[in-house]
Amino acid sequence: MARNGLELINQQGGSTINTSKSSSSSQSPRARCPAPFLSKTYDLLEEGAAADDRDGKRIVSWNGEGTGFVVWSPAEFSELLLPKYFKHNNFSSFIRQLNTYGFKKTSSKIWEFKHEKFKKGYRNMLTEISRKKCEPSVFPAYLKASDQDQRSDQSTVMMSGGNGMDQEDSNRVLLLKENKNLRRERVELQMEIAQFKALEMKLLDCLARYMGDSDNNKFFTKTIIRNAITSRLYYTSRTQRPSLYSRISPLGDPGTSVVPELDDWLQNGKKVGVAELRRIVKDLRKRKRFTQALEVSEWMNRKGICIFSPIEHAVQLDLIGRVQGFLSAESYFNNLKDQDKTEKTYGALLNCYVRQCQTEKSLSHMQKMKEMGFASSALNYNDMMCLYTNVGQHEKVPDVLTEMKENNVSPDNFSYRICINSYGVRSDLEGMERILKEMECQPHIVMDWNTYSVVANFYIKAGLPHKAIDALKKLEEKLDEKDGLAYNHLISLYAKLGKKDEVLRIWGLEKSACNRCINRDFIGMLESLVRLGELEEAEKVMKEWESSGNCYDFRVPNTVIVGYSEKGLHEKAEAMLGELMEKGKATTPNSWSTVAAGYLHKGEMEKALECLKAAFSLHVENKGWKPNPKLIKGILSWLGDKGSVGDVEAFVSTLRTVIPLNRQMYHALIKAHIRGGKEVHELLHRMRIDEIDEDNETKTILGMRQT
């Protein structure tokens, strides 16, 4: 609704329109003109339908009686006609505009709309169609950042319109003020960008003079400056003023509440804008910090910073579903006002049901959306296909695709990709190829690398390398030069085929095409080389990573460590771990434990024990790592047979910090005491206290005292 209000303001030249009923009954010539949206829609039908008749293909036309119109192909309508008349290609936005003028969708099968005053050949009746009046509760006042601002805004309204100005005029004044503030912020940001670009050039010149004029030095200095600039927070002012985002972003622990920071920001007299809070919520969702994103969203609503539109409610619904579950999301949805229950909020609740595999609720909710005319986008049908995929009912996915097409909803890339996957997991390669061919023939579909990646993977699993290579060649044709993820998939798939040369070739292309390779790219390449058993090549890539300037990420060297361990090169794996620790770099107990298990398998028990001790030294309580039971059993058995009482007691004491005391530990202690000629009565008494019964092995060990 806010957007509609802004469009109305812009259409009237930016001036505030007095819609009070107490105004003069006489109408100006401008007031008798039809709304621009209505005129454009009428022109679209007259000209678009005529063009369709000439081409022999229907996109949109009047119905047979001329009392309404039908959009026969929403995809082509959005792509070809909407940009020409309305400067956007959003079909949903067009429908919302129709709704605001009282148009009704008359059929659940086709996109037919009617209005009693909108008829073929009766353009003069357009002036009798008016926009629905908005309730104040759904026309958001975007500048309610603080009580002081609100009082100031109210006084502005009183000065500009007196007591006769109604709530709608007040909201328009607030929107005008918000527009003005946003324009000012935009100018300031553009000035900042220009200043930083100038600063970058100056710094480049200084460094270039200092380091010489070689191409390598120029590239090196330019890289340093660009990395420094792009690492800045998204908001910076000329006075280096901290932003609200800079306060919230470091709170990375999901268990840390952001509410105290928000309250403190407001209590210190600092203003907070709706746009900034929306950016924060969007960023937190992108980084999967859903709990904190929900806290920000709820705080916005609770403080009255803005009145939620259906879009904000949809975001809130999604976050509630992720954090609290679908029942809480359902309750939130049921408490919404009727005007907020739109295709956005209905779609958000459907996504909550699908994500938590609530089949019955998803089906019931989707049926209701169809009846209300809200199931009008590929997104809703994609949700249903995802549901069947998640619950393992892959055979039902193609039926959803068929239903989409029957309801004149154009499938998108994801729709086809889910369907291709449904055939692939059932080993129905003919069905997969049929859907792929259909997808390639669709004029509104731009084929992407993801689809060919899925197809190639199924060919590889089916043992059809030639078909897989054909799909990979098509994948390579769709590569985006800046998309490292696409290169990573291609490298991984060639590795599965055992194609070392292709893996190295694509890696070279990726390094040339992308500005720089990030840690994710190095991990993918190293995993592929380890899969191929090419550890020497992996060592070369490791050196590239070490000189890349990327931040340290243990997953990169750990990929090579795992490769060494799988090949039985435990000394190399241990040496790499030791070098990392000497440099002060983080390692993990699991990596040391993996190397220890390798030494145990080779019978090198002393080395296995030392690596396991290193793992214990890195263990942090309640962080999830548990040592391999077979490894622990082997070490305890060896210590019981070979170690001294002191060695066993020291190891058991350390082990107890990781796992509870058990029978194996007591057996090792008892064996060591017996070999050392010491009494075991106290150990047996402690076993009983710990409620650990003696078994046959215990009796066998105790029998050693008599031999």
Side-chain angles (χ1 to χ4, degrees):
M1 294 300 298
R3 185 179 60 202
N4 295 338
L6 286 171
E7 289 176 357
L8 183 60
I9 291 170
N10 291 333
Q11 290 163 9
Q12 301 299 331
S15 60
T16 303
I17 306 169
N18 190 342
T19 59
S20 173
K21 293 182 180 180
S22 61
S23 61
S24 173
S25 60
S26 62
Q27 293 181 327
S28 66
R30 184 176 182 84
R32 288 194 294 270
C33 294
F37 171 80
L38 300 173
S39 297
K40 291 178 181 179
T41 304
Y42 196 95
D43 292 338
L44 182 154
L45 286 167
E46 293 293 313
E47 299 170 11
D52 291 350
D53 291 339
R54 289 193 300 271
D55 297 338
K57 183 180 180 180
R58 291 197 300 178
I59 298 177
V60 63
S61 68
W62 293 99
N63 63 11
E65 298 77 24
T67 57
F69 65 93
V70 181
V71 180
W72 300 102
S73 175
E76 292 177 297
F77 181 80
S78 301
E79 182 179 356
L80 302 176
L81 296 181
L82 283 182
K84 179 179 178 181
Y85 291 90
F86 298 100
K87 298 182 180 180
H88 69 78
N89 61 354
N90 192 325
F91 186 58
S92 297
S93 176
F94 176 75
I95 294 174
R96 284 195 294 272
Q97 284 278 52
L98 290 175
N99 290 336
T100 62
Y101 284 98
F103 283 77
K104 300 295 183 182
K105 188 172 184 290
T106 61
S107 172
S108 60
K109 300 295 184 182
I110 60 173
W111 293 97
E112 182 179 23
F113 302 92
K114 288 185 179 181
H115 190 290
E116 59 181 357
K117 301 293 185 180
F118 193 88
K119 298 180 180 180
K120 184 177 182 179
Y122 291 88
R123 178 186 284 271
N124 60 304
M125 294 176 64
L126 297 182
T127 58
E128 300 177 34
I129 302 176
S130 60
R131 184 189 292 267
K132 292 180 181 178
K133 289 189 177 295
C134 302
E135 294 181 12
S137 61
V138 298
F139 200 96
Y142 283 105
L143 286 181
K144 298 170 73 174
S146 66
D147 292 338
Q148 182 177 356
D149 287 344
Q150 194 170 0
R151 288 193 296 271
S152 174
D153 291 337
Q154 289 172 349
S155 63
T156 302
V157 172
M158 293 300 294
M159 290 172 61
S160 61
N163 294 328
M165 180 172 287
D166 60 16
Q167 181 65 37
E168 186 173 355
D169 289 327
S170 173
N171 284 324
R172 289 196 181 108
V173 171
L174 296 178
L175 284 169
L176 285 170
K177 186 176 179 181
E178 173 73 357
N179 282 340
K180 182 178 180 181
N181 290 337
L182 289 172
R183 284 195 294 269
R184 186 184 67 250
E185 290 179 10
R186 179 185 177 189
V187 172
E188 291 177 353
L189 288 171
Q190 288 174 336
M191 293 174 63
E192 288 180 23
I193 291 170
Q195 289 175 349
F196 279 111
K197 285 183 177 179
L199 177 61
E200 177 187 2
M201 296 306 299
K202 289 181 180 178
L203 289 172
L204 283 172
D205 290 340
C206 291
L207 281 172
R209 287 196 297 270
Y210 178 75
M211 299 186 68
D213 294 330
S214 69
D215 292 338
N216 288 338
N217 284 340
K218 286 182 178 179
F219 176 78
F220 174 72
T221 54
K222 188 172 183 179
T223 301
I224 290 176
I225 299 300
R226 291 202 181 279
N227 287 346
I229 291 175
T230 56
S231 66
R232 292 170 358 99
L233 295 173
Y234 77 86
Y235 176 85
T236 306
S237 69
R238 289 185 291 274
T239 59
Q240 299 294 315
R241 188 173 60 217
S243 67
L244 179 57
Y245 181 82
S246 69
R247 296 272 294 273
I248 290 176
S249 182
L251 305 177
D253 184 354
T256 303
S257 174
V258 300
V259 173
E261 290 293 341
L262 293 167
D263 289 337
D264 182 67
W265 184 267
L266 214 56
Q267 289 169 4
N268 288 334
K270 298 177 181 178
K271 292 185 178 181
V272 57
V274 176
E276 183 179 19
L277 288 170
R278 286 174 177 158
R279 286 196 299 269
I280 291 172
V281 171
K282 182 179 180 180
D283 184 77
L284 291 174
R285 292 178 70 198
K286 183 179 179 181
R287 295 160 66 182
K288 300 188 184 304
R289 291 163 59 176
F290 300 117
T291 301
Q292 294 176 336
L294 178 59
E295 287 181 337
V296 176
S297 182
E298 289 177 336
W299 187 84
M300 285 173 62
N301 199 14
R302 187 169 60 251
K303 294 291 183 180
I305 292 176
C306 82
I307 299 174
F308 274 20
S309 70
I311 293 177
E312 276 83 29
H313 283 303
V315 172
Q316 181 91 332
L317 259 172
D318 177 75
L319 292 171
I320 291 173
R322 292 178 184 276
V323 176
Q324 301 172 6
F326 73 90
L327 290 176
S328 297
E330 197 175 60
S331 175
Y332 183 88
F333 177 83
N334 291 334
N335 289 327
L336 290 176
K337 296 178 180 179
D338 289 341
Q339 62 263 30
D340 290 325
K341 292 182 178 180
T342 65
E343 69 272 15
K344 298 292 185 184
T345 46
Y346 266 92
L349 183 58
L350 175 64
N351 189 256
C352 290
Y353 289 147
V354 168
R355 192 166 51 243
Q356 298 184 35
C357 298
Q358 297 296 314
T359 304
E360 295 301 324
K361 285 184 175 290
S362 299
L363 291 170
S364 174
H365 192 70
M366 182 65 171
Q367 181 60 36
K368 188 172 183 180
M369 291 179 68
K370 292 176 184 176
E371 293 170 358
M372 299 181 69
F374 288 162
S376 57
S377 72
L379 182 63
N380 308 130
Y381 290 92
N382 291 349
D383 274 339
M384 297 307 299
M385 287 193 276
C386 285
L387 172 69
Y388 290 131
T389 300
N390 294 338
V391 299
Q393 297 179 2
H394 301 284
E395 69 282 357
K396 293 185 177 182
V397 171
D399 295 335
V400 179
L401 186 69
T402 301
E403 184 183 359
M404 286 179 70
K405 293 182 284 189
E406 289 176 350
N407 292 338
N408 294 319
V409 178
S410 297
D412 58 16
N413 289 55
F414 191 49
S415 310
Y416 280 111
R417 196 154 58 244
I418 301 171
C419 197
I420 286 171
N421 177 76
S422 74
Y423 283 107
V425 296
R426 290 180 287 146
S427 301
D428 185 353
L429 298 186
E430 290 185 3
M432 180 183 78
E433 291 169 347
R434 186 177 65 255
I435 295 298
L436 176 63
K437 187 175 181 179
E438 177 185 327
M439 181 181 181
E440 290 174 329
C441 294
Q442 297 300 312
H444 69 282
I445 292 289
V446 178
M447 294 302 295
D448 54 13
W449 65 264
N450 310 68
T451 303
Y452 291 116
S453 175
V454 172
V455 171
N457 192 45
F458 283 121
Y459 281 138
I460 292 171
K461 290 181 178 179
L464 300 170
H466 297 297
K467 286 193 172 184
I469 290 173
D470 289 340
L472 293 179
K473 289 178 179 178
K474 292 182 179 180
L475 190 162
E476 188 172 346
E477 293 173 0
K478 302 299 179 182
L479 287 176
D480 182 346
E481 290 187 356
K482 304 301 181 183
D483 190 354
L485 188 60
Y487 286 95
N488 297 344
H489 275 261
L490 188 55
I491 288 171
S492 175
L493 291 168
Y494 272 125
K496 288 182 179 180
L497 289 168
K499 302 290 185 181
K500 171 190 171 183
D501 292 340
E502 290 300 308
V503 167
L504 296 176
R505 180 181 69 84
I506 300 301
W507 177 243
L509 290 177
E510 181 175 3
K511 290 188 290 185
S512 300
C514 300
N515 290 332
R516 70 183 185 93
C517 292
I518 61 177
N519 288 338
R520 178 197 64 196
D521 306 327
F522 282 103
I523 292 170
M525 181 59 181
L526 289 170
E527 286 176 345
S528 296
L529 292 173
V530 168
R531 177 191 291 270
L532 292 168
E534 297 290 339
L535 295 181
E536 290 185 4
E537 293 290 346
E539 290 168 355
K540 294 178 183 177
V541 174
M542 270 294 297
K543 290 180 180 179
E544 292 178 16
W545 172 70
E546 290 169 352
S547 60
S548 67
N550 289 357
C551 63
Y552 177 75
D553 184 341
F554 177 67
R555 293 175 301 169
V556 180
N558 189 54
T559 305
V560 181
I561 292 168
V562 170
Y564 285 145
S565 299
E566 290 176 349
K567 288 291 185 180
L569 303 174
H570 308 297
E571 291 80 4
K572 278 196 167 186
E574 183 184 3
M576 181 175 284
L577 285 168
E579 289 174 6
L580 291 172
M581 291 191 72
E582 288 177 3
K583 294 176 182 179
K585 303 295 185 182
T587 58
T588 65
N590 191 57
S591 297
W592 284 100
S593 178
T594 300
V595 177
Y599 280 132
L600 175 68
H601 183 71
K602 293 172 66 175
E604 300 182 36
M605 306 306 295
E606 291 87 354
K607 291 182 178 180
L609 178 59
E610 290 304 313
C611 289
L612 192 55
K613 287 180 179 178
F616 288 151
S617 69
L618 297 171
H619 171 68
V620 179
E621 190 175 2
N622 298 325
K623 288 298 181 180
W625 174 73
K626 296 294 180 185
N628 186 332
K630 291 183 179 179
L631 173 62
I632 297 301
K633 182 179 180 180
I635 295 291
L636 284 171
S637 178
W638 174 74
L639 281 173
D641 294 334
K642 305 291 185 181
S644 66
V645 172
D647 291 337
V648 179
E649 287 180 343
F651 182 75
V652 169
S653 177
T654 303
L655 190 57
R656 289 183 63 181
T657 64
V658 182
I659 60 176
L661 200 62
N662 58 32
R663 185 179 288 109
Q664 293 174 358
M665 298 183 198
Y666 274 114
H667 285 176
L669 287 166
I670 291 170
K671 284 195 289 185
H673 275 71
I674 290 174
R675 286 190 300 100
K678 296 186 176 183
E679 291 293 334
V680 296
H681 295 297
E682 180 62 27
L683 289 174
L684 295 173
H685 177 65
R686 282 161 51 191
M687 277 184 68
R688 288 190 290 271
I689 293 175
D690 291 332
E691 299 182 350
I692 299 175
D693 298 328
E694 298 180 15
D695 62 1
N696 291 333
E697 185 179 356
T698 310
K699 294 175 182 178
T700 301
I701 294 171
L702 292 174
M704 295 169 53
R705 293 179 298 179
Q706 301 168 1
T707 59

